[in-house]
Amino acid sequence: VLAMPVVAAVASNFLHGRRIYLPGLALAIVALPYVVANPSRPLLGADSVLVEDRLSQYFTNVPDHFDDYDEAARMISGAKCDQVGLVSPFDGREYLVWVTARAYDPGTRVEQILVKNVSRRLKIQFAPCAIVVLSPVQVGEMVYENRTYVRSVAREGFNLYLAGDHSP
């Protein structure tokens, strides 16, 4: 990518008129199979990105997790909760929490809590009414900022805790 300006400058010195379009056309033809038949997001067919809804496309590579995230998002929305704390490992799929929670309520705010890296010094004013933990936990209740949260969804690697005053 960084070499493209140099390649373009050299190509413009050697290719004149309509021939200047040949390298771009060749690259487009070579890329076509990857665009049309991408295994996770194909352009054509029954699973086409033109047919599938946007939310389900986020779960293409983790389809077995959609129900967990969707159930949690419905419970968060049903509890009238618009502040969600997130506890995620460094490789957690936190974006899936964002998109499913915002699918039910676009005003939902999702913030990392219980951060263990140097950014923990940057305290923010945030009082979640729900906490999503994207790792295995054994406890049925947790306390954060002097508020008790009760586990409402418990799956392997996915847990939802609702504040006592927001539990169903």
Side-chain angles (χ1 to χ4, degrees), residues 75-96:
M75 291 180 80
I76 291 167
S77 176
K80 304 289 189 244
C81 175
D82 62 354
Q83 306 252 3
V84 179
L86 180 62
V87 180
S88 174
F90 75 94
D91 61 346
R93 293 186 173 106
E94 62 187 63
Y95 64 96
L96 297 176

Side-chain angles (χ1 to χ4, degrees), residues 2-167:
L2 293 174
M4 289 311 295
V6 174
V7 171
V10 170
S12 67
N13 286 333
F14 291 105
L15 301 172
H16 301 287
R18 293 183 184 258
R19 284 187 268 168
I20 193 72
Y21 298 113
L22 290 176
L25 180 63
L27 287 173
I29 290 170
V30 169
L32 201 57
Y34 299 100
V35 172
V36 175
N38 181 323
S40 65
R41 289 172 181 80
L43 186 61
L44 304 174
D47 296 329
S48 167
V49 295
L50 303 174
V51 177
E52 289 288 320
D53 67 286
R54 186 174 183 162
L55 185 59
S56 66
Q57 288 182 43
Y58 283 104
F59 290 88
T60 299
N61 294 327
V62 286
D64 54 325
H65 291 42
F66 176 76
D67 292 337
D68 297 340
Y69 285 83
D70 189 58
E71 178 185 4
R74 278 187 281 111
M75 291 180 80
I76 291 167
S77 176
K80 304 289 189 244
C81 175
D82 62 354
Q83 306 252 3
V84 179
L86 180 62
V87 180
S88 174
F90 75 94
D91 61 346
R93 293 186 173 106
E94 62 187 63
Y95 64 96
L96 297 176
V97 175
W98 299 337
V99 297
T100 51
R102 290 180 181 158
Y104 288 91
D105 181 3
T108 301
R109 180 179 172 193
V110 179
E111 295 285 345
Q112 287 277 357
I113 62 170
L114 303 175
V115 177
K116 293 182 170 76
N117 62 28
V118 294
S119 67
R120 71 181 171 274
R121 293 179 285 155
L122 305 172
K123 279 286 197 182
I124 56 170
Q125 292 297 324
F126 184 67
C129 43
I131 297 175
V132 173
V133 181
L134 298 179
S135 59
V137 291
Q138 302 299 322
V139 296
E141 284 187 357
M142 66 185 302
V143 176
Y144 175 74
E145 300 288 329
N146 298 320
R147 194 172 185 186
T148 302
Y149 297 82
V150 178
R151 186 163 53 187
S152 302
V153 175
R155 305 286 189 277
E156 182 182 341
F158 185 93
N159 298 274
L160 170 67
Y161 292 83
L162 291 174
D165 54 340
H166 282 80
S167 294

